[in-house]
Amino acid sequence: MPSVTITDPDGVSQVFTAEDGEAVMQVAVRNKVEGLYAECGGSQTCGTCKVTVDPDWFDRLPPPGENEVSLIDGCPPNTRLSCQIRMSAATDGIVVRVADSQY
Amino acid sequence: MSANATVSERPSHIPEDLVMVYPFTSGALTLHNPFKKAVHDIHKHYPPIFYAEDVYHGGGSAWIIRRQEDLKEIYADTEHFSNHGRSVHAGLLGESWVTLPSNLEGEIHDKFRMILNPIFSPVALRKLEPDVAKLAQDLVDKFKTKGAVDIKAAFCVPFPVSIVLNLLDLPLDRMDEFMHWEFGLLHDPNLDHTREAAANVVAMFRELMKVRRANPGEDLVSWAVTAEVDGRPWTDDEIVGFCFNLFIGGLDTVTTNLSWFLRHLAEHPDQQAYLRENPKKIPDAVQELLRLYSSVNASKNCIKEVTFKGVTFMPGDKIMTSTTLGSNDPEVYDHPEEARFDRRATAVTFGSGVHHCLGHFLARRELTIGLETVLRELPPFTLDTSQEIVVDLGGIMQPRTVPIVWAV
Ligand code: HEM
């Protein structure tokens, strides 16, 4: 099973194992990671599951779609919606940090 | 207490044992704070899904979903549940525009949302922040030396109205007119007044479209008259539907939450003092108070038969999406009735799924700046307990007044 390292806004890092195909957002919600609210549940309307992706990993992700872009436009570099990052062999070991503020 | 209760006929698929008396019906009033006990009593004593009769003004029943997990599933299930058919105000006028994006579904909804999201993003709103802070300051300046005020009437109502006027680039002297229309649309029990208010609001927006087309500025209507969807300009009806959505979605909701939050701080001097000493914690407090005082109880229509957690919903059934109950689910939160500013928990205050509130970033800024301003400008305040506070239940749970006092 692929794993993901998530750092919360207080700087606490934890490694979680994920199901294949699960979104990083779901992993974070399941494990009650602080500071990530995921209010819309993955519909790409709320923009409250933002993370910054480790630069080594950022370029390896498929680019964001139009919906996602409409919510992360203007955010700090390497920001993605964690509901759009799928766990798989290709993302095994990915490192993300919960955005300092979702708002 | 409940006014105008009428009994509608119960469809045959509703099991007798799931029909419950629901205290939070439109038109019902209470002198208690429902978030202290009544909301939590429903969680203690009612089944996860139950049927309540005559919950809407003038009759109309609904399924009520109590658990947050179930509510989120319903918000996500666009195959069986829809927002279509909720544009009551257009119906009253005999017009066919649709409140947008709230009452659109499917691809066209998502297209509009994609265009609208950047307009209401944190980055876009940062520009607005100094204006919002100034509007808050000016309102508080008017009463801060008085020692006593109904802060709902003096601040919680005019503050979001002034922000919408600002977004539309209309002068603040239209405030009274706007507040009168808002009352007519959302709170006046007389349907003729509601129709009249809707007609006035729509006429104002149609006029504004003409003005901004001729002479565009930086405001939302100027933006909308030049915006495109699907490679074509928006129709006039689409612009009216969008403006109308701001009017009914962005005023009363903020007023309600601000009213509850200030009442809460007036009744909890320890937490008020904590925020005065730690203003950086105000956003966390806003997050938690938004959860506890989740007040919006909208609905969806079932469009296709489905058995959900053992209960069968038929097309035409109304499902109340009670954010009040969902955000106070004891299976999700330890002691949901307590405001714990360090909880930093998620909630369903702004709904979930594709219709999750477009204005939530703006609302959060207004609430944060609202609290910052009041706590900075007023000395410690308490609730004036010599006055009775009437609370409206139903679609939006809201205190009618928030009388506070402080030493001058
Ligand atoms: C604390 C304040 C607010 C609360 C609690 C709130 C709550 C909600 C909720 C629960 C929904 C979903 C309704 C449904 O189930 O259909 C919603 C949708 C919406 N809200 Fe808000 N709202 C607030 C402030 C605002 C503001 C300030 C605006 C104005 C910009 C706004 C604009 C909208 C719009 C346009 C929608 C429809 C979104 C869509 O269907 O895609 N709201 N809001």
Side-chain angles (χ1 to χ4, degrees), chain A residues 34 37 39-40 45-46 70 103, chain B residues 287 344 352-353 356 360 364:
Chain A
E34 280 209 4
Y37 301 118
E39 290 176 358
C40 75
T45 47
C46 74
S70 79
Y103 316 121
Chain B
Q287 176 74 9
R344 291 158 93 189
S352 185
H356 180 277
H360 78 101
R364 287 176 145 120

Side-chain angles (χ1 to χ4, degrees), chain B residues 231-385:
Chain B
R232 59 157 178 91
W234 295 26
T235 66
D236 284 10
D237 273 0
E238 285 167 345
I239 299 172
V240 166
F242 165 61
C243 292
F244 204 81
N245 206 155
L246 296 185
F247 218 91
I248 56 170
L251 300 178
D252 203 35
T253 48
V254 178
T255 295
T256 302
N257 279 278
L258 210 43
S259 301
W260 284 121
F261 293 10
L262 289 167
R263 173 173 171 172
H264 180 95
L265 294 179
E267 289 182 300
H268 294 82
D270 49 330
Q271 290 191 323
Q272 190 185 134
Y274 172 79
L275 293 182
R276 287 175 186 281
E277 278 156 35
N278 303 281
K280 285 212 163 66
K281 295 288 179 194
I282 290 177
D284 281 349
V286 166
Q287 176 74 9
E288 170 63 354
L289 293 169
L290 274 167
R291 179 198 67 75
L292 173 54
Y293 294 100
S294 257
S295 303
V296 178
N297 298 296
S299 65
K300 291 191 177 289
N301 294 308
C302 175
I303 49 171
K304 188 171 168 189
E305 181 179 342
V306 60
T307 298
F308 182 85
K309 310 278 162 107
V311 177
T312 300
F313 301 144
M314 297 296 279
D317 283 4
K318 269 201 178 310
I319 319 290
M320 187 185 283
T321 43
S322 171
T323 71
T324 300
L325 294 174
S327 294
N328 281 288
D329 183 348
E331 299 205 27
V332 181
Y333 309 100
D334 183 36
H335 284 282
E337 75 287 357
E338 289 176 11
R340 300 180 180 168
F341 294 166
D342 60 355
R343 209 190 285 263
R344 291 158 93 189
T346 186
V348 287
T349 311
F350 294 104
S352 185
V354 292
H355 292 287
H356 180 277
C357 181
L358 172 66
H360 78 101
F361 292 120
L362 175 59
R364 287 176 145 120
R365 269 192 174 50
E366 291 182 46
L367 294 168
T368 302
I369 291 174
L371 290 193
E372 281 169 358
T373 309
V374 171
L375 290 173
R376 188 183 62 234
E377 297 300 323
L378 293 191
F381 54 88
T382 54
L383 202 63
D384 178 357
T385 46

